[in-house]
Amino acid sequence: MTGPTTDEPAARCALVTGASRGIGAETARLLARDGWTVGVNYRRDADEAERVIQEIVAEGGRALAVPGDVCDRDAVERVFCTLERDAGPVLALINNAGTRDDMLAVSLEEDAWARVLETNLSAAFRTTKRALMPMIRARFGRIVNVASIVGMRANAGQSNYAAAKAGLIGFTKTVAAEVSRRGVTVNAVAPGFIRTDMTAGVSEELVRFIPARRVGTPTEVAACIRFLVSPAASYVTGSTIVVDGGLSA
């Protein structure tokens, strides 16, 4: 029996959500170097997104700014329509947009719970659902969800974030089982303590608990995402790659 194709399509468009900085920006840069036309999605920071695009173009790559809040279904549709019109179907989707609002569960407000779940989990469902049919028709697709080791181990004060990221890992496995025979892979990366704006308030004392004895970089996470998007990862699906310097070991 002939299996689904694992060859990369000639027209390659990737969407990276939350790509104006940090892990998303580094992922956009690496995918562009591999020949993908990259949709640099952002919600507010147009200047930072434009800087990422200029860097990609300066290296000979192609990138498009696609503003939009991935928590808004209409905005997601506009993002995809823009890319489909200007660059072809989105055949690589990196669900990177995320937020934190930490508080002990006993004091956590419902708004903070809902906002974190919506941004970190429901938005990934929304973009994934929109991306899947074009991928299935092409018999090629790559979806990578940026989860967190907090979804795999306890971290006091982050019940909302942990629930969202654990849900994202479960979502990854289930969608992978549903679409793998169509040539679409669905995986996750679970970063640990990575030096980004989102971890700016995290105590550096945590480093002593990390076997690598240092904080990770966005590029180290983006390199794993790059692999999962590449042809070399065509038989990897439903997996979560932990990038945490041994913290969860």
Side-chain angles (χ1 to χ4, degrees):
M1 180 181 295
T2 302
T5 179
T6 57
D7 296 332
E8 289 186 329
R12 297 188 294 164
C13 177
L15 169 61
V16 184
T17 69
S20 63
R21 60 184 66 195
I23 293 169
E26 288 299 313
T27 299
R29 294 183 187 101
L30 293 185
L31 294 185
R33 289 170 191 166
D34 289 341
W36 290 87
T37 296
V38 181
V40 176
N41 166 254
Y42 63 94
R43 183 166 66 95
R44 290 180 301 192
D45 204 337
D47 290 342
E48 287 296 310
E50 184 58 32
R51 182 177 60 82
V52 174
I53 290 169
Q54 288 177 358
E55 291 171 354
I56 289 172
V57 171
E59 291 187 353
R62 186 175 183 224
L64 305 172
V66 279
D69 185 349
V70 290
C71 293
D72 181 336
R73 182 175 59 184
D74 292 338
V76 167
E77 182 63 22
R78 288 193 296 272
V79 165
F80 275 84
C81 286
T82 297
L83 290 174
E84 288 166 347
R85 182 188 67 236
D86 296 341
V90 173
L91 298 181
L93 169 65
I94 316 303
N95 285 311
N96 170 71
T99 190
R100 284 173 43 210
D101 195 342
D102 299 348
M103 183 64 65
L104 294 176
V106 69
S107 302
L108 187 64
E109 298 290 341
E110 287 200 18
D111 285 350
W113 171 272
R115 182 169 55 255
V116 170
L117 267 290
E118 178 68 21
T119 305
N120 293 283
L121 179 57
S122 296
F125 157 73
R126 195 169 292 117
T127 54
T128 297
K129 181 178 179 180
R130 179 59 176 80
L132 277 176
M133 283 310 301
M135 291 180 178
I136 290 171
R137 284 194 291 268
R139 296 187 71 79
F140 179 93
R142 297 286 189 266
I143 298 173
V144 183
N145 298 314
V146 179
S148 169
I149 62 164
V150 175
M152 307 165 74
R153 63 188 295 273
N155 198 26
Q158 291 192 306
S159 60
N160 50 0
Y161 190 71
K165 294 302 187 179
L168 191 57
I169 291 170
F171 177 70
T172 297
K173 293 178 179 180
T174 303
V175 178
E178 293 173 350
V179 301
S180 292
R181 64 191 177 95
R182 302 293 188 181
V184 180
T185 66
V186 188
N187 292 288
V189 295
F193 191 1
I194 307 298
R195 197 176 299 283
T196 66
D197 290 349
M198 191 178 290
T199 61
V202 178
S203 174
E204 291 283 340
E205 291 184 6
L206 180 62
V207 171
R208 65 191 178 94
F209 297 107
I210 302 173
R213 292 297 189 271
R214 66 176 179 85
V215 179
T217 68
T219 302
E220 289 171 312
V221 182
C224 291
I225 297 172
R226 182 188 203 178
F227 163 70
L228 291 171
V229 173
S230 75
S234 60
Y235 200 56
V236 181
T237 194
S239 296
T240 299
I241 297 179
V242 177
V243 190
D244 70 351
L247 178 61
S248 59

